[in-house]
Amino acid sequence: MTADPETTESPALSVTGDAALDVLHRVFGYDAFRGSQREIVDQVIGGGDALVLMPTGGGKSLCYQIPALVRPGVGVVISPLIALMQDQVDALRALGVRAGFLNSSQDLDTRREVERAFLADELDLLYLAPEALGGGTSATWRLLERGNIALFAIDEAHCVAQWGHDFRPDYLALSMLHERWPEIPRIALTATATSRTHEEIAQRLNLQTAKHFVASFDRPNIQYRIVPKNSPTKQLLDLLRTEHNGDAGIVYCLSRASVEKTAETLSAAGIPALPYHAGLDQRVRAANQSRFLREDGLVMVATIAFGMGIDKPDVRFVAHLDLPKSIESYYQETGRAGRDGLPSTAWMAYGMNDVVQQRRMIDGSEGDLAHRRMLSMHLDAMLALTETVDCRRVQLLNYFGEKAEPCGNCDTCLSPPETWDGTVPAQKLLSTVYRLQNERNQKFGAGQSIDILLGKRTDKVAKFRHDELSVFGIGTELSESQWRGVARQLLAQNLLMVEGEYSTLSLTESSAAVLRREREVMMRREPEKVARSSGSSGSRSKSSPTIDLSPEAAAVFERLRAWRAGVAKEQGLPAYVIFHDKTLRQIATQKPASLSALGTVDGVGQAKLERYGEQVLETLAAE
Ligand code: ADP
Ligand code: ZN
């Protein structure tokens, strides 16, 4: 059908590139190319190599899917995400694209059929795992040698970079593709933004002479918010109830135990939540992932083992209950929100113990001093982001080498925190640590120092006669939680450090300057009232997909959503494969009265119009 390159009359390599636009309209149902999609598509259709760095949600898939449909032969896509290949292929088939995959999870008959279709040039796209190529000796490699290949797309290309966060040794062998098929264009794609990774990809995949396309990594529809952690589960529940009722989202926790506990708490509170971590049985994990993708409004509580390649477009929030280990991780994890471009929230609660925990993990990590120093630098950058009084987005993009203006859509822009001169409290806390260490030869955690400053006569204070220290009771001007904030910020600024099994505090090389009054310490005052959504009801944007819809359109949207859920269930497909929320929103506001009017809606291509058009019109007509 439309996807068949044979039927597009003009030669694929025509400079006008109308074939590409035609595929964009008819197959994908989109009006126009976005950002540099057009240039990338033209580059690959013309037979050139491309290295594409584009954030999640930027629209990378079209960059290789359209050339694969326009060029003669089959587009071969290398992807590490075996568990998601079925979904990717289903989504393409729903568009009328002839797609297939080969991986180890298949039975022999299915495999034979895909191989046959590939050799007969009856596929537009073939998905493969990198290990299937077996370094040039495998059966799959020999299969490729007998087929007609349109292009090679290397998805999640940062997996080839050792410096990055998802290194996969199998990716190293992909440089052989070019040696064997020098004339076939290659396109490598990643959402990883750091220039180190960028260079490494180019070098290892032999793409130095390819055309590089580097998009902005800004995700304007994501609202970044980082709040001090008081009672995390309660804060999370508050967020979900007031702003994300019924929305799909991801909650990241550091440990398996807290994943389990948080998922239980949410479920008990009536919020449908599923756990996901590496300790769960493989089948349970796969089932939970599949439910998250297929059903509307589920919350996935997960360790970082979850998420790469999840292209669910309507994840409305990503919540962190623990601090990520680097800005890179934070960016990748929060980036899973709002692929569809609709407003979404990246929310994180963080406290002193996060710093303690992360520093402890670095101390206990394998590897040499240089490696630990690198981890430490990553963590410090992350901490600077959490404690900043400037725009979060500006700081985030700066980290990736991009300049930006304050965004107006992050917590520090929406309710700017004040800074205050925390030099005196810093001196008090540091000198408590100093006295314990030097007068008593003792080390304690932050809690004990704070009790001493507040003049609390606890059992532990009495036992160690800490009430006899000169600093006892000199800090009553701040509350306990304010002192914890002071300790956290001193840790973040490297003016204090934590050590050992008991997370005891000690001074750093920089502490002395503060104690000698040679250095000021500026701190961030949390805008406690405004940080909660209860204050001004309208100002905090709610990010549900019905935002900005009239009540009438919202009702129609919900009706369409219910229809979609039924179809998704019946066909065993994720709801978004039928239509994205964004498409349903547009249908609900425009209320097209005919098939041809429906066909003009973004995301309604020919195949979907034929398959679902009548049903959508009926759903619109029903009251
Ligand atoms: P990425 O792989 O870069 O994360 P996707 O390819 O999944 O991004 O695209 C993100 C979303 O944007 C998808 O919902 C996709 O259908 C949509 N999209 C991509 N290109 C366009 C376009 N030119 N017009 C409208 N929507 C688009
Ligand atoms: Zn901002």
Side-chain angles (χ1 to χ4, degrees):
M1 27 182 322
T2 60
D4 190 341
E6 303 301 313
T7 63
T8 49
E9 256 202 316
S10 59
L13 304 179
S14 80
V15 261
T16 62
D18 281 335
L21 197 61
D22 184 55
V23 171
L24 181 76
H25 293 325
R26 288 201 293 155
V27 179
F28 296 93
Y30 294 136
D31 265 357
F33 284 106
R34 225 194 235 166
S36 43
Q37 277 176 335
R38 169 95 245 189
E39 284 171 76
I40 300 168
V41 163
D42 285 347
Q43 164 80 359
V44 180
I45 290 178
D49 293 341
L51 173 52
V52 175
L53 283 79
M54 203 188 265
T56 303
K60 285 187 286 302
S61 328
L62 289 188
C63 297
Y64 60 84
Q65 288 166 351
I66 291 183
L69 289 168
V70 172
R71 282 178 66 89
V74 184
V76 175
V77 185
I78 316 291
S79 160
L81 308 160
I82 292 186
L84 297 168
M85 282 183 185
Q86 183 71 57
D87 283 343
Q88 287 172 319
V89 163
D90 285 347
L92 285 164
R93 288 190 181 151
L95 294 165
V97 175
R98 304 167 309 170
F101 67 88
L102 290 175
N103 72 31
S104 47
S105 72
Q106 270 165 325
D107 63 58
L108 204 60
D109 284 350
T110 319
R111 192 180 170 88
R112 287 269 149 76
E113 169 51 25
V114 177
E115 290 177 357
R116 190 204 59 74
F118 169 73
L119 291 173
D121 219 344
E122 287 170 17
L123 285 182
D124 300 308
L125 284 150
L126 174 66
Y127 285 75
L128 296 176
E131 55 271 27
L133 299 177
T137 56
S138 65
T140 306
W141 183 276
R142 287 194 297 276
L143 177 78
L144 293 184
E145 291 191 316
R146 288 158 55 214
N148 184 14
I149 299 170
L151 58 87
F152 289 108
I154 302 169
D155 205 5
E156 311 286 350
H158 61 277
C159 290
V160 78
Q162 253 142 355
W163 198 76
H165 45 100
D166 299 309
F167 174 62
R168 313 227 167 175
D170 285 314
Y171 262 68
L172 292 174
L174 297 181
S175 60
M176 294 172 58
L177 293 175
H178 185 52
E179 289 154 28
R180 173 62 188 78
W181 286 279
E183 74 290 1
I184 307 281
R186 293 172 303 151
I187 169 170
L189 312 101
T190 178
T192 297
T194 46
S195 52
R196 275 286 287 273
T197 310
H198 179 176
E199 283 159 26
E200 207 181 334
I201 296 172
Q203 184 234 322
R204 289 191 190 278
L205 292 179
N206 240 315
L207 285 167
Q208 288 99 333
T209 57
K211 201 157 173 194
H212 293 205
F213 298 89
V214 184
S216 165
F217 275 78
D218 187 19
R219 302 286 311 279
N221 60 313
I222 298 184
Q223 183 178 87
Y224 296 101
R225 282 147 63 185
I226 303 179
V227 303
K229 194 191 280 185
N230 305 317
S231 41
T233 329
K234 201 170 149 294
Q235 289 171 285
L236 177 67
L237 274 173
D238 205 35
L239 173 82
L240 300 197
R241 286 196 175 123
T242 56
E243 297 178 51
H244 288 289
N245 209 351
D247 286 346
I250 307 174
V251 177
Y252 280 112
C253 304
L254 205 56
S255 74
R256 298 172 185 186
S258 57
V259 164
E260 301 269 355
K261 199 174 128 257
T262 308
E264 275 167 28
T265 314
L266 292 185
S267 301
I271 294 167
L274 301 168
Y276 189 102
H277 58 71
L280 287 173
D281 182 74
Q282 165 64 26
R283 274 192 316 255
V284 177
R285 248 188 304 162
N288 286 358
Q289 170 167 308
S290 160
R291 280 192 62 195
F292 178 69
L293 295 176
R294 277 168 176 69
E295 295 173 29
D296 279 329
L298 277 185
V299 177
M300 186 66 109
V301 187
T303 57
I304 52 169
F306 178 75
M308 183 167 63
I310 296 287
D311 51 9
K312 187 175 167 61
D314 55 354
V315 174
R316 290 273 70 82
F317 66 88
V318 169
H320 278 94
L321 288 182
D322 295 298
L323 186 75
K325 61 181 191 304
S326 65
I327 290 193
E328 186 70 35
S329 312
Y330 174 75
Y331 178 79
Q332 292 301 334
E333 286 150 24
T334 54
R336 290 167 190 146
R339 269 183 185 241
D340 54 11
L342 294 175
S344 309
T345 311
W347 178 91
M348 175 165 103
Y350 122 98
M352 189 173 69
N353 281 334
D354 287 293
V355 191
V356 173
Q357 204 166 25
Q358 289 286 353
R359 292 238 195 264
R360 204 189 292 161
M361 275 164 51
I362 293 173
D363 287 342
S365 75
E366 317 226 320
D368 52 13
L369 188 65
H371 179 69
R372 284 205 293 277
R373 207 167 268 158
M374 181 190 82
L375 295 178
S376 226
M377 273 159 52
H378 283 314
L379 177 61
D380 287 343
M382 184 64 224
L383 290 171
L385 178 67
T386 60
E387 300 290 357
T388 188
V389 292
D390 300 322
C391 171
R392 306 261 190 219
R393 194 180 312 270
V394 166
Q395 187 133 341
L396 197 57
L397 291 173
N398 260 340
Y399 183 79
F400 299 126
E402 261 185 68
K403 289 261 165 293
E405 291 296 310
C407 71
N409 189 28
C410 71
D411 55 355
T412 51
C413 282
L414 290 168
S415 35
E418 292 165 22
T419 47
W420 58 291
D421 184 346
T423 312
V424 172
Q427 286 164 346
K428 288 181 179 177
L429 183 54
L430 294 181
S431 84
T432 306
V433 174
Y434 175 85
R435 275 165 212 286
L436 286 172
Q437 199 172 330
N438 288 278
E439 293 175 11
R440 298 293 184 85
N441 205 9
Q442 292 169 341
K443 285 189 177 181
F444 283 89
Q448 184 71 359
S449 294
I450 291 172
D451 283 349
I452 294 170
L453 285 165
L454 290 171
K456 285 197 187 168
R457 296 184 186 278
T458 64
D459 289 349
K460 207 162 157 189
V461 164
K463 177 174 168 205
F464 290 100
R465 293 185 291 103
H466 286 165
D467 49 350
E468 293 167 16
L469 291 169
S470 61
V471 288
F472 186 76
I474 63 164
T476 50
E477 74 276 22
L478 296 184
S479 71
E480 188 175 331
S481 85
Q482 286 171 320
W483 274 116
R484 274 203 301 271
V486 170
R488 187 191 77 222
Q489 297 193 56
L490 291 176
L491 284 168
Q493 296 184 34
N494 255 324
L495 291 167
L496 262 184
M497 60 182 185
V498 287
E499 293 175 315
E501 196 184 340
Y502 299 106
S503 307
T504 56
L505 294 181
S506 44
L507 302 183
T508 69
E509 281 170 15
S510 322
S511 316
V514 178
L515 284 170
R516 285 199 302 264
R517 292 157 213 272
E518 288 163 11
R519 172 174 167 177
E520 282 190 346
V521 184
M522 294 310 288
M523 294 198 182
R524 180 184 205 278
R525 195 192 312 278
E526 302 304 334
E528 287 188 34
K529 298 249 163 43
V530 238
R532 294 173 60 87
S533 49
S534 52
S536 43
S537 57
S539 70
R540 175 72 68 198
S541 64
K542 212 176 154 303
S543 57
S544 115
T546 51
I547 185 178
D548 301 336
L549 289 186
S550 68
E552 195 209 345
V556 177
F557 174 82
E558 292 304 344
R559 220 160 60 224
L560 288 166
R561 206 141 78 138
W563 163 78
R564 182 182 68 181
V567 177
K569 193 150 197 181
E570 197 181 288
Q571 306 190 346
L573 290 172
Y576 61 82
V577 167
I578 318 283
F579 285 122
H580 285 180
D581 279 359
K582 211 170 174 178
T583 302
L584 293 192
R585 267 175 64 103
Q586 208 180 329
I587 298 175
T589 38
Q590 295 181 356
K591 291 192 118 191
S594 66
L595 283 177
S596 59
L598 179 60
T600 67
V601 172
D602 240 26
V604 186
Q606 209 165 54
K608 288 193 180 173
L609 191 64
E610 281 166 19
R611 204 163 304 170
Y612 305 120
E614 294 290 353
Q615 294 184 45
V616 169
L617 295 183
E618 279 165 28
T619 310
L620 285 175
E623 277 309 320

